[in-house]
Amino acid sequence: MSDTKASSKQMDMLNGSIGDKILYFAIPLAVTGILQQLFNAADIAVIGRFVGKNAMAAVGSNSPITALIINLFTGISIGANVVIARFIGQNHKEGVKMTVHTALLFAVLCGTVFAVICEVISRPILSLMSIPDNVFDMALLYFRVYIGGMPVILLYNFASAIFRSQGNTKTPLICLLISGIINVLFNLFFVLVLKMTVNGVALATVLSNLISSALLIFFLTREDSAIHFSFKDLRIDWRTLREMIRIGLPAGIQGMVFSFSNIIIQSSINKLGEDVMAASSAAFNLEIFAYYIINAFGQACTTFVGQNYGAGKSDRCLKATRLSLIQDLIFTAVLSVIILLTGKYFLMIFNDDPVIADIGMIRLKYIVGAEVINVVIEIVSGCMRGYGHSFVPALMCTAGICGVRIIWSCTAFKTYPSFDVLMTAYPLSWLVTAAALVISYFWMKKHALKNFFASVPEQDSIAP
């Protein structure tokens, strides 16, 4: 693929089998997400055990708003992934080099700008979340410390996307494992030894992200493939950046839509009291495990489709999409059953109040029980991004996810203000969005990419 020696960790997505390579790509990526969430769960557990449930609620109430910001740039990092994957498929080494350095510099600059802006308007932002007065000050403290680490948080996401573009998901996993262990140790040190509260776990998160991003940059400087990084080559290539943003911004908006809809839901949750807030926060730290499985196969689909689309191999694009969907459904279904059967025991780890565990199981029942629908959303969105068509899935998710949840919160929940009724918004919004995306996919295949698929038999589709 290259005149230079290829990195031993670079995966050949353009030739040979696909199913085993999707697993080889997705499993480390899923483990990375799950480990990341375990380390985040350690934050909640330390706070819940050693500070109290109000502090636990304060950290949990921050999750939707921080996810909103991070998901925007994670989407743009997916744009970098797709652009690099295409260049790899085209054997365009200079294009890969430009994208790598543009993406990393963009991450640091935007992370710095957003950190400053969010610090200035942090109180008005959190005031929109209907956070109870006895929780608000701690929530604000956590947000201000956490958001200060935005440059290194985004740097980790973009550097990870660069490794994923050539099929290497193990290096980001190793870096996360090292920094995550350090994160847990920092949590205990700041809270138990220095007697810090939510600011302690936020600071631990920032420092661990600093370590993981520094490790990834170090490994990029050691790369002998086209993604090799050098500080002297850092610059913004505006044409490359525009293409990254064209593909990645809609993906980021799609992620933001998920987060924004969660903010709407979280605001309603906050009205139900501290117990529901704490239970929902704990349940989120379990349900997200299933999402990381779903997301890993979605990103695998994006990368495989992106490389093969760049190489003009339409049959492999379809096969990668189909196999990603099948594997994702199987893994998600198995994990969902495990979470539902063991969820109550794990919820007790966060807080030993049985009331909180019971409330948390309500959330798991509605969300984890319907995650297989979310698989369709993620895979279809992922393959469409791989083809460079990110706007349509973003639009569908805005209308389907955000629209349905806002309407549900303002109608059904307002009429019947219970946790069960509120949680129904999740499976309902997923069902509407999945149906719309499948229709959009077949339209795109038949019209927008008609020439690309001209040589593929009509029966090939995303369906098993």
Side-chain angles (χ1 to χ4, degrees):
M1 290 180 61
S2 171
D3 295 334
T4 60
K5 181 183 176 183
S7 169
S8 60
K9 295 181 181 179
Q10 183 170 341
M11 182 184 295
D12 183 2
M13 300 182 184
L14 304 176
N15 303 284
S17 60
I18 296 179
D20 57 332
K21 291 176 182 176
I22 289 175
L23 282 175
Y24 190 79
F25 181 103
I27 296 303
L29 183 57
V31 172
T32 299
I34 289 171
L35 280 177
Q36 194 167 33
Q37 194 56 39
L38 282 173
F39 295 134
N40 291 341
D43 294 353
I44 301 291
V46 169
I47 284 294
R49 286 283 179 176
F50 301 110
V51 181
K53 65 182 181 182
N54 282 359
M56 184 177 167
V59 174
S61 64
N62 266 276
S63 298
I65 191 65
T66 54
L68 183 73
I69 299 168
I70 292 174
N71 282 344
L72 171 63
F73 291 101
T74 299
I76 299 176
S77 76
I78 292 174
N81 182 340
V82 173
V83 172
I84 295 173
R86 279 191 189 174
F87 281 139
I88 291 174
Q90 297 166 0
N91 195 25
H92 191 331
K93 292 178 290 183
E94 187 61 29
V96 174
K97 177 182 175 181
M98 287 189 302
T99 310
V100 167
H101 291 85
T102 295
L104 294 177
L105 183 55
F106 176 80
V108 174
L109 292 177
C110 280
T112 302
V113 170
F114 264 73
V116 172
I117 293 173
C118 289
E119 290 289 351
V120 172
I121 63 174
S122 56
R123 184 175 289 274
I125 289 176
L126 292 187
S127 296
L128 299 174
M129 294 288 294
S130 302
I131 300 174
D133 292 341
N134 59 334
V135 175
F136 185 86
D137 286 343
M138 282 191 292
L140 181 61
L141 177 60
Y142 179 88
F143 181 77
R144 282 179 165 165
V145 176
Y146 182 93
I147 212 69
M150 193 58 62
V152 291
I153 293 172
L154 297 189
L155 183 60
Y156 172 81
N157 287 332
F158 275 76
S160 297
I162 290 169
F163 279 106
R164 287 196 302 270
S165 67
Q166 64 165 6
N168 181 359
T169 54
K170 288 188 175 180
T171 299
L173 172 58
I174 293 170
C175 295
L176 178 72
L177 183 60
I178 294 171
S179 64
I181 293 171
I182 294 173
N183 180 33
V184 173
L185 295 176
F186 277 152
N187 276 337
L188 296 172
F189 176 73
F190 290 144
V191 173
L192 297 182
V193 177
L194 298 185
K195 305 301 179 183
M196 298 172 72
T197 59
V198 293
N199 55 334
V201 295
L203 181 58
T205 299
V206 171
L207 292 176
S208 66
N209 273 279
L210 174 62
I211 292 169
S212 59
S213 58
L215 286 172
L216 284 176
I217 294 299
F218 170 76
F219 285 122
L220 282 173
T221 63
R222 307 285 290 179
E223 272 287 327
D224 53 8
S225 68
I227 64 169
H228 172 80
F229 171 77
S230 173
F231 284 98
K232 65 182 178 60
D233 292 324
L234 268 180
R235 67 183 181 90
I236 297 289
D237 181 81
W238 296 105
R239 183 177 178 181
T240 301
L241 180 61
R242 283 195 298 270
E243 183 65 7
M244 278 173 43
I245 293 175
R246 185 189 71 81
I247 297 172
L249 184 59
I253 292 173
Q254 182 176 334
M256 288 179 68
V257 165
F258 278 93
S259 298
F260 182 73
S261 65
N262 287 338
I263 290 176
I264 301 298
I265 298 294
Q266 185 65 47
S267 296
S268 298
I269 289 172
N270 293 345
K271 297 174 183 177
L272 297 174
E274 289 86 349
D275 284 350
V276 175
M277 289 174 66
S280 182
S281 175
F284 173 81
N285 283 277
L286 295 180
E287 77 197 34
I288 199 68
F289 293 157
Y291 174 73
Y292 282 123
I293 292 287
I294 297 170
N295 181 256
F297 283 97
Q299 291 199 42
C301 186
T302 296
T303 307
F304 275 78
V305 169
Q307 280 205 21
N308 284 282
Y309 181 58
K313 298 187 176 184
S314 55
D315 57 331
R316 291 181 66 84
C317 290
L318 291 175
K319 189 174 182 180
T321 302
R322 184 167 59 249
L323 291 175
S324 296
L325 177 64
I326 294 170
Q327 293 178 7
D328 203 351
L329 284 170
I330 293 171
F331 275 88
T332 300
V334 171
L335 183 58
S336 296
V337 170
I338 293 173
I339 292 174
L340 289 173
L341 291 176
T342 61
K344 191 166 185 177
Y345 303 103
F346 285 106
L347 288 170
M348 296 291 287
I349 295 175
F350 296 99
N351 191 289
D352 56 9
D353 186 341
V355 173
I356 290 179
D358 289 338
I359 297 172
M361 283 304 300
I362 295 174
R363 177 171 178 129
L364 293 181
K365 178 179 67 175
Y366 281 96
I367 296 180
V368 176
E371 284 284 15
V372 289
I373 306 173
N374 206 11
V375 169
V376 177
I377 296 173
E378 197 68 26
I379 295 299
V380 176
S381 298
C383 79
M384 292 177 79
R385 285 194 293 266
Y387 294 123
H389 290 262
S390 293
F391 177 75
V392 172
L395 181 63
M396 294 296 101
C397 287
T398 299
I401 299 291
C402 196
V404 169
R405 291 180 189 177
I406 291 175
I407 293 171
W408 189 263
S409 298
C410 296
T411 56
F413 176 71
K414 189 174 182 180
T415 305
Y416 304 101
S418 72
F419 196 45
D420 288 87
V421 171
L422 184 61
M423 290 297 101
T424 305
Y426 284 94
L428 182 62
S429 62
W430 287 337
L431 191 61
V432 171
T433 306
L437 277 172
V438 170
I439 294 171
S440 299
Y441 169 82
F442 284 109
W443 183 93
M444 177 200 73
K445 183 173 176 289
K446 185 176 181 179
H447 297 282
L449 297 174
K450 181 179 180 179
N451 293 333
F452 181 68
F453 289 113
S455 62
V456 181
E458 190 62 32
Q459 65 268 24
D460 284 339
S461 69
I462 65 168

